[in-house]
Amino acid sequence: MASAVNRRLQAWLADNPDESLLRWTFRVVLAVTVAVLAADLVELNEPRVTSDTASPPFDVHREHADGQPASPAVLAPLLKRLMPLPKSDPALERPLSLELRGGGRLYATGTITPGSARTFADEVDRHGEYIKTVVLNSPGGSVADALAMGRLIRARKYATEVEAGKHCASSCPLVFAGGTERRAGERAMIGVHQIAAVRSANAARSDDDMSLAQNVSARCQRHLADMGVDLKVWMHAMDTPHDQLFTFKPDELKALNLVTSAPESRPEKPRT
């Protein structure tokens, strides 16, 4: 068999001039090159486990509350908890209002606007001896005012609370953190996201914007640390886009020391 093939090849070469032989050789080389490239492409596209794919870099959501790395199966529920900002109650869109009710409970409801800290301080000056708990229901707002309110709450040794089904989002947890006792009712929504610089419509972008954002972030972290709150709360905030919200589960609120006490049991109002 081999001798027959050899004879045919010699006969073919004898009948073909050098130019034909060169063309034949070029075609063979080209075919082999294409085959090798195709094999390499198939190999590159095959799924494989390498040191790069086996250990992707983890962000701050990829840890348990105890600091241990989380598995990918645990990460999926966390990532799904990043939600668009909820549509708030129209009452919460109005500037912060204050109402002192029975039991020494000062209700702070609405958006924290520039000047809210001054209004809050004035209320404390008028009725401070009666206030025991600041009850929050707010979508957040001015970071500077939230920090000032939280510090005043701590200085006056008030408790803070978010009642069942109510909200405390964005900068509001900075106020909530000021409580010497911090309570959250069932289905209370406490969430954080990145801070955003507020400019007038005509203000040009400044080269100092990054420096300002870092300064505000440092102030928020220092505040939470001073209030005894785990700084992972702020890590979640910095990792969440400003148009979304990271909401904490009840067990996380306790593990991060954002909630320190169970809600007070208050007697039900008698039915009339």
Side-chain angles (χ1 to χ4, degrees), residues 152-197:
L152 181 56
I153 287 171
R154 178 57 59 92
R156 299 300 294 255
K157 296 181 171 56
Y158 298 150
T160 52
E161 183 172 337
V162 181
E163 291 184 328
K166 302 300 183 181
H167 296 72
C168 183
S170 187
S171 65
C172 178
L174 297 172
V175 183
F176 181 70
T180 52
E181 291 184 22
R182 300 183 286 270
R183 303 183 286 262
E186 186 179 358
R187 297 186 311 280
M189 194 279 288
I190 299 178
V192 293
H193 61 185
Q194 294 172 359
I195 59 175

mmCIF file of all heavy atoms in Angstrom, residues 152-197:
data_model
loop_
_atom_site.group_PDB
_atom_site.id
_atom_site.type_symbol
_atom_site.label_atom_id
_atom_site.label_comp_id
_atom_site.label_asym_id
_atom_site.label_seq_id
_atom_site.Cartn_x
_atom_site.Cartn_y
_atom_site.Cartn_z
ATOM 1 N N LEU A 152 -26.446 65.654 68.726
ATOM 2 C CA LEU A 152 -27.255 66.249 69.780
ATOM 3 C C LEU A 152 -28.065 65.188 70.523
ATOM 4 O O LEU A 152 -28.215 65.238 71.759
ATOM 5 C CB LEU A 152 -28.181 67.312 69.189
ATOM 6 C CG LEU A 152 -29.095 68.048 70.179
ATOM 7 C CD1 LEU A 152 -28.282 68.703 71.297
ATOM 8 C CD2 LEU A 152 -29.938 69.104 69.447
ATOM 9 N N ILE A 153 -28.585 64.220 69.791
ATOM 10 C CA ILE A 153 -29.321 63.122 70.417
ATOM 11 C C ILE A 153 -28.426 62.381 71.407
ATOM 12 O O ILE A 153 -28.844 62.064 72.533
ATOM 13 C CB ILE A 153 -29.868 62.161 69.340
ATOM 14 C CG1 ILE A 153 -31.043 62.811 68.605
ATOM 15 C CG2 ILE A 153 -30.297 60.829 69.948
ATOM 16 C CD1 ILE A 153 -31.508 62.039 67.397
ATOM 17 N N ARG A 154 -27.181 62.131 71.030
ATOM 18 C CA ARG A 154 -26.270 61.441 71.936
ATOM 19 C C ARG A 154 -25.921 62.316 73.140
ATOM 20 O O ARG A 154 -25.853 61.819 74.273
ATOM 21 C CB ARG A 154 -25.010 61.023 71.181
ATOM 22 C CG ARG A 154 -23.946 60.332 72.050
ATOM 23 C CD ARG A 154 -24.497 59.099 72.757
ATOM 24 N NE ARG A 154 -25.006 58.086 71.866
ATOM 25 C CZ ARG A 154 -24.271 57.073 71.391
ATOM 26 N NH1 ARG A 154 -23.004 56.962 71.762
ATOM 27 N NH2 ARG A 154 -24.818 56.182 70.601
ATOM 28 N N ALA A 155 -25.708 63.601 72.897
ATOM 29 C CA ALA A 155 -25.370 64.492 74.011
ATOM 30 C C ALA A 155 -26.499 64.562 75.033
ATOM 31 O O ALA A 155 -26.246 64.672 76.243
ATOM 32 C CB ALA A 155 -25.049 65.888 73.471
ATOM 33 N N ARG A 156 -27.758 64.489 74.551
ATOM 34 C CA ARG A 156 -28.904 64.549 75.469
ATOM 35 C C ARG A 156 -29.324 63.170 75.977
ATOM 36 O O ARG A 156 -30.285 63.048 76.712
ATOM 37 C CB ARG A 156 -30.082 65.225 74.767
ATOM 38 C CG ARG A 156 -29.810 66.660 74.327
ATOM 39 C CD ARG A 156 -29.458 67.578 75.499
ATOM 40 N NE ARG A 156 -30.561 67.758 76.412
ATOM 41 C CZ ARG A 156 -31.303 68.858 76.503
ATOM 42 N NH1 ARG A 156 -31.046 69.898 75.703
ATOM 43 N NH2 ARG A 156 -32.291 68.954 77.377
ATOM 44 N N LYS A 157 -28.605 62.132 75.508
ATOM 45 C CA LYS A 157 -28.852 60.755 75.958
ATOM 46 C C LYS A 157 -30.276 60.288 75.649
ATOM 47 O O LYS A 157 -30.915 59.585 76.447
ATOM 48 C CB LYS A 157 -28.549 60.601 77.452
ATOM 49 C CG LYS A 157 -27.083 60.824 77.803
ATOM 50 C CD LYS A 157 -26.831 60.624 79.289
ATOM 51 C CE LYS A 157 -25.351 60.637 79.612
ATOM 52 N NZ LYS A 157 -24.652 61.860 79.166
ATOM 53 N N TYR A 158 -30.765 60.645 74.467
ATOM 54 C CA TYR A 158 -32.068 60.172 74.022
ATOM 55 C C TYR A 158 -31.912 58.792 73.371
ATOM 56 O O TYR A 158 -30.856 58.442 72.830
ATOM 57 C CB TYR A 158 -32.691 61.117 72.995
ATOM 58 C CG TYR A 158 -32.972 62.507 73.498
ATOM 59 C CD1 TYR A 158 -32.925 63.594 72.616
ATOM 60 C CD2 TYR A 158 -33.308 62.757 74.818
ATOM 61 C CE1 TYR A 158 -33.204 64.879 73.049
ATOM 62 C CE2 TYR A 158 -33.583 64.048 75.269
ATOM 63 C CZ TYR A 158 -33.515 65.100 74.377
ATOM 64 O OH TYR A 158 -33.782 66.372 74.807
ATOM 65 N N ALA A 159 -32.996 58.033 73.357
ATOM 66 C CA ALA A 159 -33.085 56.821 72.549
ATOM 67 C C ALA A 159 -33.608 57.201 71.162
ATOM 68 O O ALA A 159 -34.167 58.293 70.974
ATOM 69 C CB ALA A 159 -34.011 55.807 73.215
ATOM 70 N N THR A 160 -33.418 56.323 70.201
ATOM 71 C CA THR A 160 -33.986 56.523 68.866
ATOM 72 C C THR A 160 -34.762 55.270 68.471
ATOM 73 O O THR A 160 -34.465 54.169 68.947
ATOM 74 C CB THR A 160 -32.908 56.803 67.804
ATOM 75 O OG1 THR A 160 -31.897 55.780 67.868
ATOM 76 C CG2 THR A 160 -32.267 58.164 68.013
ATOM 77 N N GLU A 161 -35.748 55.460 67.606
ATOM 78 C CA GLU A 161 -36.580 54.324 67.200
ATOM 79 C C GLU A 161 -37.124 54.553 65.799
ATOM 80 O O GLU A 161 -37.424 55.690 65.401
ATOM 81 C CB GLU A 161 -37.731 54.135 68.185
ATOM 82 C CG GLU A 161 -38.600 52.920 67.882
ATOM 83 C CD GLU A 161 -39.624 52.647 68.979
ATOM 84 O OE1 GLU A 161 -39.399 53.080 70.134
ATOM 85 O OE2 GLU A 161 -40.658 52.010 68.677
ATOM 86 N N VAL A 162 -37.235 53.457 65.033
ATOM 87 C CA VAL A 162 -37.971 53.429 63.773
ATOM 88 C C VAL A 162 -39.112 52.455 63.989
ATOM 89 O O VAL A 162 -38.882 51.259 64.226
ATOM 90 C CB VAL A 162 -37.078 52.989 62.589
ATOM 91 C CG1 VAL A 162 -37.889 53.004 61.289
ATOM 92 C CG2 VAL A 162 -35.852 53.887 62.463
ATOM 93 N N GLU A 163 -40.335 52.953 63.957
ATOM 94 C CA GLU A 163 -41.481 52.110 64.264
ATOM 95 C C GLU A 163 -41.746 51.095 63.159
ATOM 96 O O GLU A 163 -41.235 51.210 62.033
ATOM 97 C CB GLU A 163 -42.714 52.980 64.488
ATOM 98 C CG GLU A 163 -42.647 53.819 65.750
ATOM 99 C CD GLU A 163 -43.930 54.605 65.981
ATOM 100 O OE1 GLU A 163 -44.572 54.993 64.979
ATOM 101 O OE2 GLU A 163 -44.301 54.822 67.154
ATOM 102 N N ALA A 164 -42.560 50.106 63.488
ATOM 103 C CA ALA A 164 -42.901 49.043 62.544
ATOM 104 C C ALA A 164 -43.441 49.621 61.242
ATOM 105 O O ALA A 164 -44.333 50.471 61.252
ATOM 106 C CB ALA A 164 -43.932 48.108 63.176
ATOM 107 N N GLY A 165 -42.869 49.161 60.143
ATOM 108 C CA GLY A 165 -43.327 49.574 58.827
ATOM 109 C C GLY A 165 -42.870 50.949 58.386
ATOM 110 O O GLY A 165 -43.223 51.381 57.285
ATOM 111 N N LYS A 166 -42.080 51.657 59.195
ATOM 112 C CA LYS A 166 -41.633 53.002 58.849
ATOM 113 C C LYS A 166 -40.246 52.965 58.220
ATOM 114 O O LYS A 166 -39.601 51.917 58.137
ATOM 115 C CB LYS A 166 -41.635 53.907 60.081
ATOM 116 C CG LYS A 166 -43.002 54.008 60.765
ATOM 117 C CD LYS A 166 -44.051 54.563 59.813
ATOM 118 C CE LYS A 166 -45.393 54.734 60.529
ATOM 119 N NZ LYS A 166 -46.445 55.254 59.616
ATOM 120 N N HIS A 167 -39.773 54.142 57.746
ATOM 121 C CA HIS A 167 -38.537 54.224 56.983
ATOM 122 C C HIS A 167 -37.475 55.061 57.693
ATOM 123 O O HIS A 167 -37.795 56.048 58.370
ATOM 124 C CB HIS A 167 -38.782 54.861 55.605
ATOM 125 C CG HIS A 167 -39.673 54.059 54.708
ATOM 126 N ND1 HIS A 167 -41.023 53.933 54.925
ATOM 127 C CD2 HIS A 167 -39.406 53.343 53.591
ATOM 128 C CE1 HIS A 167 -41.555 53.174 53.975
ATOM 129 N NE2 HIS A 167 -40.583 52.803 53.158
ATOM 130 N N CYS A 168 -36.231 54.672 57.479
ATOM 131 C CA CYS A 168 -35.090 55.504 57.873
ATOM 132 C C CYS A 168 -33.992 55.193 56.864
ATOM 133 O O CYS A 168 -33.302 54.175 56.961
ATOM 134 C CB CYS A 168 -34.636 55.187 59.299
ATOM 135 S SG CYS A 168 -33.285 56.247 59.880
ATOM 136 N N ALA A 169 -33.845 56.058 55.860
ATOM 137 C CA ALA A 169 -32.971 55.753 54.726
ATOM 138 C C ALA A 169 -31.985 56.883 54.468
ATOM 139 O O ALA A 169 -32.139 57.996 54.978
ATOM 140 C CB ALA A 169 -33.814 55.503 53.474
ATOM 141 N N SER A 170 -30.974 56.563 53.661
ATOM 142 C CA SER A 170 -29.973 57.530 53.217
ATOM 143 C C SER A 170 -29.223 58.111 54.416
ATOM 144 O O SER A 170 -28.532 57.378 55.124
ATOM 145 C CB SER A 170 -30.657 58.620 52.383
ATOM 146 O OG SER A 170 -29.702 59.474 51.802
ATOM 147 N N SER A 171 -29.361 59.405 54.707
ATOM 148 C CA SER A 171 -28.650 60.005 55.848
ATOM 149 C C SER A 171 -29.378 59.803 57.168
ATOM 150 O O SER A 171 -28.809 60.039 58.235
ATOM 151 C CB SER A 171 -28.448 61.503 55.607
ATOM 152 O OG SER A 171 -29.695 62.177 55.575
ATOM 153 N N CYS A 172 -30.625 59.343 57.139
ATOM 154 C CA CYS A 172 -31.392 59.156 58.379
ATOM 155 C C CYS A 172 -30.702 58.208 59.366
ATOM 156 O O CYS A 172 -30.734 58.457 60.581
ATOM 157 C CB CYS A 172 -32.797 58.659 58.057
ATOM 158 S SG CYS A 172 -33.835 58.319 59.508
ATOM 159 N N PRO A 173 -30.061 57.104 58.916
ATOM 160 C CA PRO A 173 -29.374 56.246 59.886
ATOM 161 C C PRO A 173 -28.275 56.965 60.672
ATOM 162 O O PRO A 173 -27.919 56.513 61.766
ATOM 163 C CB PRO A 173 -28.786 55.126 59.015
ATOM 164 C CG PRO A 173 -29.751 55.014 57.878
ATOM 165 C CD PRO A 173 -30.137 56.443 57.589
ATOM 166 N N LEU A 174 -27.742 58.083 60.157
ATOM 167 C CA LEU A 174 -26.768 58.863 60.924
ATOM 168 C C LEU A 174 -27.443 59.499 62.140
ATOM 169 O O LEU A 174 -26.833 59.634 63.201
ATOM 170 C CB LEU A 174 -26.149 59.945 60.043
ATOM 171 C CG LEU A 174 -25.342 59.451 58.834
ATOM 172 C CD1 LEU A 174 -24.943 60.624 57.950
ATOM 173 C CD2 LEU A 174 -24.111 58.669 59.282
ATOM 174 N N VAL A 175 -28.692 59.903 61.978
ATOM 175 C CA VAL A 175 -29.473 60.419 63.111
ATOM 176 C C VAL A 175 -29.801 59.270 64.059
ATOM 177 O O VAL A 175 -29.621 59.361 65.278
ATOM 178 C CB VAL A 175 -30.768 61.093 62.629
ATOM 179 C CG1 VAL A 175 -31.528 61.697 63.803
ATOM 180 C CG2 VAL A 175 -30.472 62.149 61.579
ATOM 181 N N PHE A 176 -30.280 58.172 63.492
ATOM 182 C CA PHE A 176 -30.668 56.998 64.271
ATOM 183 C C PHE A 176 -29.506 56.500 65.130
ATOM 184 O O PHE A 176 -29.700 56.081 66.281
ATOM 185 C CB PHE A 176 -31.135 55.909 63.311
ATOM 186 C CG PHE A 176 -31.595 54.643 63.968
ATOM 187 C CD1 PHE A 176 -32.772 54.598 64.696
ATOM 188 C CD2 PHE A 176 -30.850 53.479 63.851
ATOM 189 C CE1 PHE A 176 -33.195 53.418 65.300
ATOM 190 C CE2 PHE A 176 -31.267 52.308 64.446
ATOM 191 C CZ PHE A 176 -32.441 52.272 65.171
ATOM 192 N N ALA A 177 -28.278 56.550 64.575
ATOM 193 C CA ALA A 177 -27.097 56.044 65.292
ATOM 194 C C ALA A 177 -26.818 56.819 66.564
ATOM 195 O O ALA A 177 -26.132 56.323 67.469
ATOM 196 C CB ALA A 177 -25.876 56.086 64.376
ATOM 197 N N GLY A 178 -27.340 58.062 66.691
ATOM 198 C CA GLY A 178 -27.072 58.870 67.865
ATOM 199 C C GLY A 178 -27.732 58.365 69.127
ATOM 200 O O GLY A 178 -27.322 58.733 70.240
ATOM 201 N N GLY A 179 -28.731 57.523 69.015
ATOM 202 C CA GLY A 179 -29.466 57.066 70.198
ATOM 203 C C GLY A 179 -28.614 56.246 71.152
ATOM 204 O O GLY A 179 -27.819 55.406 70.714
ATOM 205 N N THR A 180 -28.775 56.485 72.443
ATOM 206 C CA THR A 180 -28.092 55.641 73.426
ATOM 207 C C THR A 180 -28.691 54.236 73.413
ATOM 208 O O THR A 180 -28.013 53.259 73.704
ATOM 209 C CB THR A 180 -28.206 56.242 74.833
ATOM 210 O OG1 THR A 180 -29.584 56.518 75.116
ATOM 211 C CG2 THR A 180 -27.410 57.542 74.923
ATOM 212 N N GLU A 181 -29.980 54.162 73.083
ATOM 213 C CA GLU A 181 -30.645 52.904 72.750
ATOM 214 C C GLU A 181 -31.250 53.091 71.367
ATOM 215 O O GLU A 181 -31.823 54.142 71.063
ATOM 216 C CB GLU A 181 -31.744 52.555 73.751
ATOM 217 C CG GLU A 181 -31.245 52.193 75.131
ATOM 218 C CD GLU A 181 -32.385 51.758 76.037
ATOM 219 O OE1 GLU A 181 -33.444 51.344 75.502
ATOM 220 O OE2 GLU A 181 -32.230 51.854 77.259
ATOM 221 N N ARG A 182 -31.127 52.054 70.545
ATOM 222 C CA ARG A 182 -31.640 52.156 69.173
ATOM 223 C C ARG A 182 -32.565 50.975 68.911
ATOM 224 O O ARG A 182 -32.158 49.821 69.005
ATOM 225 C CB ARG A 182 -30.463 52.173 68.179
ATOM 226 C CG ARG A 182 -29.535 53.344 68.416
ATOM 227 C CD ARG A 182 -28.404 53.411 67.389
ATOM 228 N NE ARG A 182 -27.381 52.406 67.601
ATOM 229 C CZ ARG A 182 -26.293 52.575 68.354
ATOM 230 N NH1 ARG A 182 -26.110 53.733 68.995
ATOM 231 N NH2 ARG A 182 -25.391 51.639 68.468
ATOM 232 N N ARG A 183 -33.819 51.294 68.553
ATOM 233 C CA ARG A 183 -34.837 50.259 68.407
ATOM 234 C C ARG A 183 -35.477 50.340 67.025
ATOM 235 O O ARG A 183 -35.631 51.416 66.452
ATOM 236 C CB ARG A 183 -35.916 50.435 69.484
ATOM 237 C CG ARG A 183 -35.363 50.419 70.912
ATOM 238 C CD ARG A 183 -36.475 50.517 71.940
ATOM 239 N NE ARG A 183 -37.046 51.854 72.027
ATOM 240 C CZ ARG A 183 -36.699 52.757 72.942
ATOM 241 N NH1 ARG A 183 -35.742 52.492 73.820
ATOM 242 N NH2 ARG A 183 -37.277 53.933 72.965
ATOM 243 N N ALA A 184 -35.837 49.166 66.498
ATOM 244 C CA ALA A 184 -36.508 49.094 65.196
ATOM 245 C C ALA A 184 -37.661 48.117 65.291
ATOM 246 O O ALA A 184 -37.487 46.981 65.767
ATOM 247 C CB ALA A 184 -35.545 48.665 64.100
ATOM 248 N N GLY A 185 -38.841 48.545 64.843
ATOM 249 C CA GLY A 185 -40.011 47.681 64.887
ATOM 250 C C GLY A 185 -40.022 46.683 63.747
ATOM 251 O O GLY A 185 -39.169 46.688 62.853
ATOM 252 N N GLU A 186 -41.004 45.806 63.770
ATOM 253 C CA GLU A 186 -41.135 44.778 62.742
ATOM 254 C C GLU A 186 -41.363 45.440 61.376
ATOM 255 O O GLU A 186 -42.146 46.364 61.232
ATOM 256 C CB GLU A 186 -42.314 43.862 63.085
ATOM 257 C CG GLU A 186 -42.450 42.682 62.149
ATOM 258 C CD GLU A 186 -43.604 41.781 62.532
ATOM 259 O OE1 GLU A 186 -44.266 42.078 63.558
ATOM 260 O OE2 GLU A 186 -43.846 40.783 61.830
ATOM 261 N N ARG A 187 -40.622 44.965 60.387
ATOM 262 C CA ARG A 187 -40.682 45.456 59.003
ATOM 263 C C ARG A 187 -40.240 46.915 58.889
ATOM 264 O O ARG A 187 -40.544 47.571 57.888
ATOM 265 C CB ARG A 187 -42.078 45.286 58.401
ATOM 266 C CG ARG A 187 -42.527 43.837 58.294
ATOM 267 C CD ARG A 187 -43.853 43.713 57.558
ATOM 268 N NE ARG A 187 -44.867 44.639 58.071
ATOM 269 C CZ ARG A 187 -45.590 44.418 59.177
ATOM 270 N NH1 ARG A 187 -45.417 43.320 59.867
ATOM 271 N NH2 ARG A 187 -46.481 45.308 59.566
ATOM 272 N N ALA A 188 -39.546 47.435 59.890
ATOM 273 C CA ALA A 188 -38.960 48.774 59.736
ATOM 274 C C ALA A 188 -37.877 48.695 58.662
ATOM 275 O O ALA A 188 -37.090 47.748 58.636
ATOM 276 C CB ALA A 188 -38.367 49.243 61.061
ATOM 277 N N MET A 189 -37.852 49.650 57.766
ATOM 278 C CA MET A 189 -36.903 49.646 56.657
ATOM 279 C C MET A 189 -35.783 50.647 56.951
ATOM 280 O O MET A 189 -36.011 51.855 56.972
ATOM 281 C CB MET A 189 -37.603 49.988 55.343
ATOM 282 C CG MET A 189 -36.759 49.676 54.102
ATOM 283 S SD MET A 189 -35.545 50.974 53.751
ATOM 284 C CE MET A 189 -36.622 52.258 53.165
ATOM 285 N N ILE A 190 -34.582 50.138 57.201
ATOM 286 C CA ILE A 190 -33.408 50.975 57.438
ATOM 287 C C ILE A 190 -32.414 50.671 56.330
ATOM 288 O O ILE A 190 -31.992 49.520 56.160
ATOM 289 C CB ILE A 190 -32.801 50.702 58.825
ATOM 290 C CG1 ILE A 190 -33.835 51.018 59.910
ATOM 291 C CG2 ILE A 190 -31.542 51.522 59.038
ATOM 292 C CD1 ILE A 190 -33.364 50.732 61.327
ATOM 293 N N GLY A 191 -32.042 51.689 55.560
ATOM 294 C CA GLY A 191 -31.184 51.455 54.401
ATOM 295 C C GLY A 191 -30.230 52.597 54.157
ATOM 296 O O GLY A 191 -30.428 53.715 54.631
ATOM 297 N N VAL A 192 -29.174 52.309 53.382
ATOM 298 C CA VAL A 192 -28.123 53.293 53.106
ATOM 299 C C VAL A 192 -27.733 53.245 51.637
ATOM 300 O O VAL A 192 -27.985 52.269 50.932
ATOM 301 C CB VAL A 192 -26.872 53.017 53.973
ATOM 302 C CG1 VAL A 192 -27.161 53.256 55.447
ATOM 303 C CG2 VAL A 192 -26.357 51.593 53.760
ATOM 304 N N HIS A 193 -27.110 54.320 51.190
ATOM 305 C CA HIS A 193 -26.505 54.372 49.858
ATOM 306 C C HIS A 193 -25.449 55.471 49.857
ATOM 307 O O HIS A 193 -25.199 56.130 50.860
ATOM 308 C CB HIS A 193 -27.559 54.590 48.765
ATOM 309 C CG HIS A 193 -28.336 55.868 48.895
ATOM 310 N ND1 HIS A 193 -29.381 56.202 48.074
ATOM 311 C CD2 HIS A 193 -28.216 56.919 49.761
ATOM 312 C CE1 HIS A 193 -29.875 57.381 48.426
ATOM 313 N NE2 HIS A 193 -29.173 57.827 49.454
ATOM 314 N N GLN A 194 -24.805 55.659 48.702
ATOM 315 C CA GLN A 194 -23.756 56.660 48.593
ATOM 316 C C GLN A 194 -24.309 58.064 48.808
ATOM 317 O O GLN A 194 -25.470 58.349 48.474
ATOM 318 C CB GLN A 194 -23.095 56.584 47.217
ATOM 319 C CG GLN A 194 -22.335 55.301 46.950
ATOM 320 C CD GLN A 194 -21.876 55.188 45.508
ATOM 321 O OE1 GLN A 194 -22.142 56.079 44.691
ATOM 322 N NE2 GLN A 194 -21.191 54.110 45.186
ATOM 323 N N ILE A 195 -23.467 58.929 49.345
ATOM 324 C CA ILE A 195 -23.852 60.324 49.481
ATOM 325 C C ILE A 195 -23.677 61.010 48.133
ATOM 326 O O ILE A 195 -22.916 60.561 47.280
ATOM 327 C CB ILE A 195 -23.005 61.044 50.548
ATOM 328 C CG1 ILE A 195 -21.522 60.967 50.177
ATOM 329 C CG2 ILE A 195 -23.257 60.444 51.919
ATOM 330 C CD1 ILE A 195 -20.627 61.744 51.118
ATOM 331 N N ALA A 196 -24.385 62.099 47.924
ATOM 332 C CA ALA A 196 -24.288 62.849 46.676
ATOM 333 C C ALA A 196 -24.093 64.314 46.996
ATOM 334 O O ALA A 196 -24.757 64.859 47.881
ATOM 335 C CB ALA A 196 -25.543 62.660 45.821
ATOM 336 N N ALA A 197 -23.149 64.929 46.272
ATOM 337 C CA ALA A 197 -22.933 66.369 46.452
ATOM 338 C C ALA A 197 -24.111 67.128 45.880
ATOM 339 O O ALA A 197 -24.673 66.766 44.851
ATOM 340 C CB ALA A 197 -21.645 66.795 45.774
#
